[in-house]
Amino acid sequence: MTTSQSAPIPATAAADAVLATDPPPRRRRRGAPKLRPLSRGEKVFQVVNVIVLSAFALVCVIPFVHVIGSSFATPGELATSNFLLIPKEFTLDAYRYILSTPTIFRAIGVSTVVTVGGTFLSLVVTSLMAYALAKPYLLGRRAINFMVVFTMLFSGGMIPTFIVVTKLGLLDSLWSLVLPVLINAFNFVIMRNFFSGIPESLEESARIDGCSELGVFLRIVLPLSVASIATIGLFYGVTYWNTYMHAVLYINDSSKWPIQVLLRQIVIVSSGVNADSTAVDVVPPAQSVKMAVIAVATLPMLLVYPFIQRFFVKGALIGSVKG
């Protein structure tokens, strides 16, 4: 008795059969829930909200536009216009005046060195101090925190600070613009609360893997704190760039003046008041010079802010929600 055997299926036919097979039906995702139509009251609220927020935005933007427009305006237009936004005729006389001497570039260099170096040192000292005082097992933690927060309400004042700076030999030194404001109590509190919110289990796992305390701080804590550090760095940077009073008190050498002090001297000279003039002989209208001074002093911070603003709200709020 013979047994019938089925003919072998060619390889190409088998491949075609596999490809022709319908794939298993995929599980359909649920579509996004449809939003319900807004009620009349909600529509009115949205319209009012947009109008109010737009008004607040204009209140912030219009003065700056006025400053920029007035800095490019001609003397005649400034004399006949009380509030100028866009000048009819542009002129660069005010900017030529304040940029006509290398003194202003030296002052910008001094402010840049103080801002970059001071911000870096402040971030290092503040972050190290905040990380240590965020640990509940640190001895004397409550007392040290109390002394730091106490300085937010009470300080020695101008004269005691001047005496300390003088006794330390910091007069006419750029260190006098950095060391007295190296740590800000408010920034310290924000960063300390941020570090307190980092899970302890992450640090314990790093210690189990052999990390030292400094290694935990550098490899675990700092990468998780980019938003907070960027925000605090912006606070410190603005403070150092706008340094004025400390420079007036501690810096007598005009070659070490930061940009804010030098621009004040330019405004005084352009106003016709006797001052230590380091500018050119021809003086344009004082109003346009003042506006150009404000624009020059504000521009660096405006250039830096767009790169940091995405961290600003997150970094400021995360560290401030805890007590």
Side-chain angles (χ1 to χ4, degrees):
M1 189 175 74
T2 61
T3 305
S4 63
Q5 295 180 351
S6 60
I9 302 177
T12 55
D16 294 338
V18 171
L19 293 177
T21 306
D22 294 334
R26 294 183 179 180
R27 189 174 182 180
R28 293 184 178 180
R29 296 181 180 179
R30 292 185 178 181
K34 295 183 179 180
L35 298 177
R36 64 177 179 81
L38 298 178
S39 64
R40 183 177 180 181
E42 291 173 339
K43 293 180 180 178
V44 172
F45 173 77
Q46 285 192 352
V47 171
V48 173
N49 198 18
V50 170
I51 293 175
V52 172
L53 293 179
S54 300
F56 276 112
L58 289 176
V59 168
C60 298
V61 172
I62 287 179
F64 188 74
V65 175
H66 168 64
V67 168
I68 299 297
S70 299
S71 67
F72 289 105
T74 59
E77 193 171 2
L78 285 175
T80 57
S81 177
N82 294 326
F83 188 79
L84 180 67
L85 292 179
I86 301 177
K88 297 179 181 178
E89 183 179 354
F90 286 82
T91 178
L92 298 175
D93 290 343
Y95 291 95
R96 291 193 187 100
Y97 172 69
I98 63 176
L99 299 176
S100 60
T101 171
T103 306
I104 193 169
F105 296 102
R106 183 174 62 239
I108 292 176
V110 171
S111 292
T112 303
V113 170
V114 171
T115 301
V116 175
T119 301
F120 175 75
L121 291 176
S122 294
L123 286 176
V124 170
V125 176
T126 303
S127 59
L128 289 174
M129 185 177 179
Y131 176 70
L133 293 178
K135 303 305 175 185
Y137 51 80
L138 180 67
L139 296 178
R141 171 176 174 267
R142 291 180 177 273
I144 298 176
N145 281 323
F146 172 79
M147 287 188 289
V148 173
V149 176
F150 184 82
T151 61
M152 296 177 64
L153 305 176
F154 305 97
S155 63
M158 182 185 300
I159 295 177
T161 305
F162 180 82
I163 294 174
V164 172
V165 172
T166 303
K167 295 297 183 181
L168 292 176
L170 299 179
L171 289 181
D172 275 340
S173 171
L174 296 183
W175 287 109
S176 63
L177 306 180
V178 175
L179 294 182
V181 291
L182 189 62
I183 297 181
N184 181 275
F186 176 76
N187 296 338
F188 160 78
V189 171
I190 292 180
M191 191 169 289
R192 183 201 63 190
N193 292 340
F194 185 89
F195 288 157
S196 299
I198 296 178
E200 187 67 24
S201 57
L202 294 177
E203 301 180 20
E204 291 178 354
S205 61
R207 293 189 186 98
I208 292 174
D209 291 338
C211 267
S212 62
E213 199 67 36
L214 183 61
V216 172
F217 176 72
L218 295 177
R219 299 182 180 183
I220 304 299
V221 176
L222 286 186
L224 296 175
S225 309
V226 174
S228 178
I229 292 174
T231 303
I232 301 303
L234 178 63
F235 290 162
Y236 278 125
V238 171
T239 300
Y240 284 117
W241 181 261
N242 293 329
T243 295
Y244 170 75
M245 184 57 66
H246 286 178
V248 171
L249 292 175
Y250 308 138
I251 304 295
N252 298 319
D253 187 359
S254 60
S255 64
K256 298 180 180 179
W257 279 347
I259 185 65
Q260 307 297 339
V261 178
L262 181 64
L263 294 181
R264 172 183 175 273
Q265 292 299 113
I266 294 177
V267 171
I268 292 177
V269 173
S270 65
S271 301
V273 182
N274 292 329
D276 184 11
S277 177
T278 56
V280 296
D281 296 331
V282 180
V283 179
Q287 186 66 17
S288 61
V289 171
K290 293 176 183 178
M291 298 305 179
V293 162
I294 296 173
V296 170
T298 309
L299 182 61
M301 290 296 104
L302 292 179
L303 295 178
V304 172
Y305 181 75
F307 298 99
I308 303 178
Q309 65 92 18
R310 65 192 183 100
F311 301 109
F312 188 80
V313 175
K314 180 180 177 181
L317 293 181
I318 289 180
S320 61
V321 294
K322 293 187 177 182

